[in-house]
Amino acid sequence: MLNVCLACALLPVGAVALNPDANDAVTLDRVVVEATRLRGVPAFDMPASTATISLRDDGNRAGADVSEVLRGIPGVLARDRQNLAQDTQLSIRGFGARSTFGVRGVRLYADGIPASMPDGQGQLSHFSLAGGDRIEVIRGPFSALHGNSSGGVVQIHSADGEAGDPWRARATVGRDATYSAAAQLLGGGGRIGYNLALSRYDTDGWRDHSAARRDTANLKLDVDLGERRRLDLVLNYVDVPEARDPLGLTAEQVRTDPRQAVANAILFDTRKTVRQHQAGMTYEHGLGAAQALRLMAYGGSRDVLQVLPIPDFAQGNPLSSGGVIDLDNRYDGLDARWSWQGAVAERPFEFTVGGNLDRQRQHRRGFENFVGETLGVRGAPRRDERNAVDNTDAYAQAWWRFAERWSLLLGARHSEVEFESRDRYVTDANPDDSGRVRFRHTAPVAGLTFAPQADWRVYLSAGRGFETPTFNEMSYRADGGAGLAFGLRPAVSDNVELGMKWRNARGATWEAALFRADTDDELAVARNVAGRSSFRNAGRARRQGFETAFATPLGQAWDLRLAYTQLDATFRDAYLICQGVGCTVPEIEVPAGTRIPGVPERQLFARLQWRGEAWSTAIEGEAVGDVPVNDLGSESAAGYGLLHLEAARRWRTRSGELRAFARIDKLLDRAYVGSVIVNEGNGRFYEPGADRGWLLGAEWTWAR
C-alpha cells in the first residue's frame, strides 16, 4: 500500500512533466455530471471519481449489452454472462459483486428515472444504447447521497432531439445465429424534441440452452416551455419473451465442454420471461436568475416468470416454495428538489435540498415445476404473498469555493426503508409468515478540493453509506424455513478517497485515486442452490485499493486509453458457513482475512485507435485477475487476458452516410471464465466466456 501511496503522490509530477505549458492557464471543458445534482460545478472540480462515456461515438459492437461500453472505467467490472436470463453482472469497487441476478449495491438511473427499486435491486435490461447520448458513472463516498445500496451510481441519458438531427438505422450479425437491429428517430421542431429508439437482439446462444430474444423501445420527448421551464417525458418498454438459462458449470465441466448446459437445465427447461413498462416525467422551472425547482415522477411494472431446476422430491418439504417463481412488481415514486446558485462571502456557492418517496408492490407466487411426470411447467401453488417496500428520503448538499484554489462539498441524506410481507399461503404445515421491518440511516459526506494549477486537482472525500437486503435476498431464509428473512440487517460502510485529476489543452487526461471502504454487517451469500439464494450478515469487511485512468491523443489520428484497478476485498471477521446441498446449520469457519468472492484483485484495460478520413481501426486488450467463487476461497476462476480487433469504413453521400464495421473478439481464442455464481451450492460456480467470435455490422445515417 505504501508503494501505491507514493505512486499516487508522484502522478501529478509526472503529469505536469508531460506538458511543457502546464503552468499556463488552459480552457477546461464544462462537463457536468448530472448525477452529482450540481448544475454549476463541472466534473473536474468535484471531489469524486466520475466518468462520462459518450454513446454518440462510432461503436463497433452489437449495442445489445451495457457491459460493452462500461469496459475501461477503473473500479468498474461489467460482465457479459452469455445468459440473458440473469442479466449483466455489474460491480463498482467490489460493491455488487455477490449478486447472482440483476444488479444490487449500485444505484441505476435511466433519464433521471430510478432503475433500482426502493429495496436496492436493479436491472440494466431497459438501458437503451440505441437512443443513448451518454452514461455517467460515480464511484466513491459521494455515491451515498443516492440512498440505499449506493456503492456506486450508473446513469444513462437519452439524446435530446433538435431540428436537423439525422435518423439512424443499424444492424449486426454474428456467430451462433446472433443478430441485432436498431433504429433511432431523432429530431425536433420549434420547442419540442423527440428521440424514439427501437431495438431487437436475438441469439441462439454460445452455450447450449441459452437462446434468447430481447425487444426494447424508448421514447423521450423534451418540451421547451420558455422562461427557463422544461418538461421531459420518457416511455420505456422491454420484452424478453423467453431467455433460456444454461446454469453454471463445475470446474471439470468447464474443462470438458464449456458450451454445455447441465442436465437439469434441459430436463426442467430452465428459463425466464420478463416484461416491463415504465413512464416518467421531469419538470424543471427556473425561479429568477439563481434558483431552480425540479420535479420528477415515475411509475411502472415489471413481471417476471422463472423456471428453476429444483427436483420434484425436494419440493416434498411442506415449507418449499416450489420451482417456478412468478413475480408481479408495481412501482412508482417522486422526487422534488430546489437549488440555488449564488455567492457567499463573494465566493461561488451552490445549494440543493430535496426529498423523494418511492414505493414497490410485489406479488410473489411460487408453484411446483411439474405436473405429474411432466417437468418444467407450472404446477400446484406453494407460495402466495404480497410484499411492499417504501422508502422516504431527505437530502441536502452544498458546494462552496471558499478560496481561490479551494472548494468544499458537504452533503447528507436521511433514509427510511420499510419492508412488509403479508402471507396468503397458510396451511397446517406452513404457518403464517407475515412480518414487517424498518431500517433508518443518515449518510453524511464531505469532500475538499485543492487546485494547485488550472489543469490539476487534488481532493479528499469521506462518507458513510448503507445497503439494505433486497426482497430477493430476504425471500429465502438460510435455515430453510418459510417466509422472509427479516433477521437480516443492513450493511453500513465508511468510505474515504484521496484522488487527483489532471488534463492539458491537447486533450490528455490522467486521474488516480486511493480508496477504502470498511463495512459492518456485510451482506454475503449463505447458500445458492438451483438459482435460489439465501443471505447472511458476515460481520466486518474491507475494500481498499488504487485505480487510475489515462487517455491521450497521439498525433492527429491516434488515440490511447489505459485503465488499471487494484482492489483488495476481504472479510475482517471470521464467521461460520454451510457446506453442501441441504445444509442449514453453519459449522465451517471462514477465517478473517479471506477474500470476498466475486472480486478480482486486478483489472487492466487498454485501447489504441486510429481514425482516418474514411477508415478506422482499433486494438483493445483487457485482463482480469483470478476471482474466488466461494467464501472459503477453496476454488477460484483463473485470471485471463483477452485481445479484440475492429475496423470500420465509411462512405458519405448527398443523402447520408453509410458505415460498415467488423470486429473479432478474443483474437487469441483463449478459454476463460467470464463470470461466476458466488457460493453455488452444487459447486457449479462458473459461467464460461465465449471463444473467438466475429461480428459484422452496418449503420446508415441520413438527413430528412
Side-chain angles (χ1 to χ4, degrees):
M1 181 58 73
L2 178 60
N3 291 336
V4 172
C5 292
L6 290 173
C8 188
L10 291 173
L11 279 176
V13 177
V16 173
L18 289 173
N19 182 10
D21 302 320
N23 292 324
D24 298 333
V26 296
T27 301
L28 301 175
D29 64 68
R30 298 291 298 175
V31 174
V32 175
V33 176
E34 291 188 22
T36 65
R37 300 194 181 96
L38 293 172
R39 293 299 183 88
V41 184
F44 190 70
D45 289 318
M46 286 288 300
S49 295
T50 64
T52 301
I53 305 102
S54 174
L55 299 178
R56 290 199 171 191
D57 296 339
D58 293 338
N60 298 325
R61 303 289 297 266
D65 194 282
V66 178
S67 65
E68 298 173 11
V69 296
L70 291 181
R71 291 187 174 95
I73 303 175
V76 176
L77 181 63
R79 296 172 177 266
D80 179 0
R81 306 180 67 175
Q82 303 293 320
N83 183 355
L84 261 65
Q86 301 297 342
D87 210 346
T88 303
Q89 277 188 341
L90 175 66
S91 63
I92 295 181
R93 292 182 178 176
F95 288 99
R98 72 173 184 271
S99 180
T100 56
F101 39 80
V103 177
R104 62 106 53 258
V106 176
R107 297 297 290 184
L108 307 175
Y109 297 88
D111 289 316
I113 308 300
S116 296
M117 295 295 101
D119 64 351
Q121 183 76 38
Q123 305 288 337
L124 291 163
S125 57
H126 72 291
F127 273 29
S128 175
L129 296 180
D133 176 70
R134 68 193 186 280
I135 291 180
E136 299 172 352
V137 179
I138 299 179
R139 314 180 301 279
F142 275 90
S143 303
L145 286 180
H146 289 264
N148 178 25
S149 297
S150 296
V153 179
V154 177
Q155 177 161 244
I156 189 170
H157 295 274
S158 299
D160 291 337
E162 298 179 357
D165 282 332
W167 288 7
R168 181 177 57 162
R170 173 187 173 94
T172 68
V173 62
R175 58 140 184 242
D176 306 313
T178 299
Y179 73 89
S180 68
Q184 181 190 36
L185 311 183
L186 182 69
R191 293 185 171 183
I192 299 179
Y194 63 88
N195 181 350
L196 174 63
L198 307 171
S199 66
R200 166 168 286 188
Y201 177 74
D202 196 297
T203 180
D204 283 352
W206 180 73
R207 291 181 60 192
D208 297 338
H209 197 74
S210 62
R213 193 188 86 205
R214 179 170 62 209
D215 296 325
T216 64
N218 195 79
L219 173 64
K220 179 183 177 182
L221 299 175
D222 51 276
V223 184
D224 181 1
L225 300 175
E227 298 179 358
R228 296 181 61 212
R229 294 178 299 158
R230 174 186 168 114
L231 176 67
D232 287 350
L233 300 174
V234 180
L235 300 174
N236 180 268
Y237 171 77
V238 177
D239 183 27
V240 183
E242 199 166 74
R244 285 182 162 77
D245 188 350
L247 306 178
L249 302 178
T250 66
E252 179 59 31
Q253 288 170 330
V254 172
R255 286 189 290 268
T256 302
D257 179 9
R259 301 187 70 160
Q260 68 179 295
V262 298
N264 273 356
I266 307 298
L267 193 63
F268 288 91
D269 191 16
T270 49
R271 61 196 185 276
K272 180 186 283 187
T273 298
V274 178
R275 182 165 293 165
Q276 175 173 308
H277 304 79
Q278 183 173 285
M281 175 275 294
T282 302
Y283 175 69
E284 298 184 11
H285 192 136
L287 303 172
Q291 302 179 61
L293 180 66
R294 179 185 182 275
L295 303 174
M296 182 274 293
Y298 70 96
S301 65
R302 185 178 180 90
D303 300 328
V304 178
L305 180 69
Q306 185 173 16
V307 178
L308 303 175
I310 299 176
D312 52 0
F313 63 82
Q315 298 171 58
N317 184 336
L319 301 181
S320 170
S321 299
V324 175
I325 301 172
D326 189 343
L327 288 176
D328 296 333
N329 281 290
R330 302 293 181 268
Y331 54 91
D332 55 70
L334 57 90
D335 180 282
R337 76 179 71 145
W338 169 84
S339 61
W340 177 78
Q341 290 179 252
V344 171
E346 299 183 345
R347 293 287 184 182
F349 184 88
E350 182 171 343
F351 178 73
T352 298
V353 62
N356 64 272
L357 302 171
D358 299 281
R359 303 187 308 170
Q360 179 184 0
R361 299 294 181 262
Q362 180 186 89
H363 187 192
R364 177 181 287 268
R365 291 176 292 173
F367 301 87
E368 294 175 347
N369 58 1
F370 60 92
V371 175
E373 299 296 322
T374 305
L375 304 180
V377 296
R378 185 193 303 227
R382 300 299 298 272
R383 186 173 193 169
D384 187 356
E385 63 194 32
R386 298 278 184 170
N387 299 322
V389 59
D390 296 86
N391 82 271
T392 306
D393 289 20
Y395 55 87
Q397 62 188 64
W399 178 86
W400 185 31
R401 189 183 297 279
F402 61 89
E404 185 65 29
R405 296 176 179 266
W406 294 88
S407 62
L408 178 68
L409 179 59
L410 299 174
R413 185 181 187 113
H414 178 76
S415 300
E416 295 193 12
V417 185
E418 183 178 48
F419 293 82
E420 181 183 7
S421 178
R422 290 176 292 162
D423 191 355
R424 295 188 173 186
Y425 184 79
V426 180
T427 68
D428 292 339
N430 191 326
D432 188 343
D433 297 299
S434 301
R436 175 182 299 180
V437 64
R438 174 177 291 184
F439 304 115
R440 297 181 176 88
H441 178 78
T442 298
V445 293
L448 185 67
T449 302
F450 174 59
Q453 297 178 354
D455 54 9
W456 180 19
R457 301 290 184 270
V458 179
Y459 65 89
L460 176 66
S461 59
R464 168 171 288 188
F466 86 118
E467 182 178 8
T468 69
T470 68
F471 256 134
N472 284 332
E473 293 171 349
M474 296 175 70
S475 292
Y476 305 103
R477 290 165 42 180
D479 62 6
L484 298 185
F486 286 116
L488 289 175
R489 301 179 300 277
V492 178
S493 299
D494 291 317
N495 297 267
V496 63
E497 177 178 330
L498 172 65
M500 58 78 62
K501 306 176 184 182
W502 170 88
R503 60 189 62 189
N504 70 9
R506 294 193 298 268
T509 64
W510 198 342
E511 300 184 4
L514 284 166
F515 58 88
R516 172 180 286 183
D518 287 322
T519 303
D520 288 328
D521 286 327
E522 174 78 15
L523 287 161
V525 178
R527 60 175 183 161
N528 188 334
V529 180
R532 178 169 290 165
S533 303
S534 57
F535 292 78
R536 67 161 65 86
N537 292 102
R540 297 181 301 162
R542 172 171 290 172
R543 298 167 175 86
Q544 62 182 359
F546 167 74
E547 59 190 31
T548 185
F550 177 72
T552 184
L554 301 174
Q556 295 296 318
W558 293 87
D559 289 284
L560 175 67
R561 288 175 53 204
L562 300 170
Y564 175 75
T565 303
Q566 173 96 25
L567 177 58
D568 178 29
T570 57
F571 295 109
R572 300 188 66 204
D573 288 336
Y575 64 98
L576 298 178
I577 65 169
C578 274
Q579 284 281 88
V581 178
C583 174
T584 59
V585 180
E587 55 185 14
I588 299 177
E589 183 180 81
V590 176
T594 303
R595 289 173 59 187
I596 296 175
V599 182
E601 286 187 322
R602 295 176 182 86
Q603 291 175 246
L604 177 65
F605 176 87
R607 180 180 173 89
L608 179 63
Q609 179 169 301
W610 173 82
R611 291 187 181 183
E613 183 174 345
W615 285 92
S616 65
T617 186
I619 186 168
E620 190 175 275
E622 57 181 308
V624 177
D626 70 297
V627 178
V629 297
N630 57 4
D631 287 344
L632 287 173
S634 59
E635 289 194 41
S636 295
Y640 59 86
L642 305 175
L643 200 62
H644 318 295
L645 186 65
E646 62 186 50
R649 172 72 159 88
R650 68 177 73 244
W651 295 266
R652 292 184 174 92
T653 70
R654 292 182 178 180
S655 56
E657 178 180 284
L658 175 65
R659 192 174 70 90
F661 54 91
R663 180 178 171 99
I664 300 176
D665 285 306
K666 294 85 177 182
L667 188 65
L668 304 179
D669 202 24
R670 299 291 178 85
Y672 74 105
V673 172
S675 60
V676 300
I677 305 172
V678 172
N679 283 347
E680 210 285 335
N682 295 293
R684 297 196 292 261
F685 305 113
Y686 308 100
E687 293 181 304
D691 55 15
R692 183 190 296 131
W694 57 272
L695 178 82
L696 299 175
E699 184 175 274
W700 172 246
T701 304
W702 72 97
R704 305 176 311 287

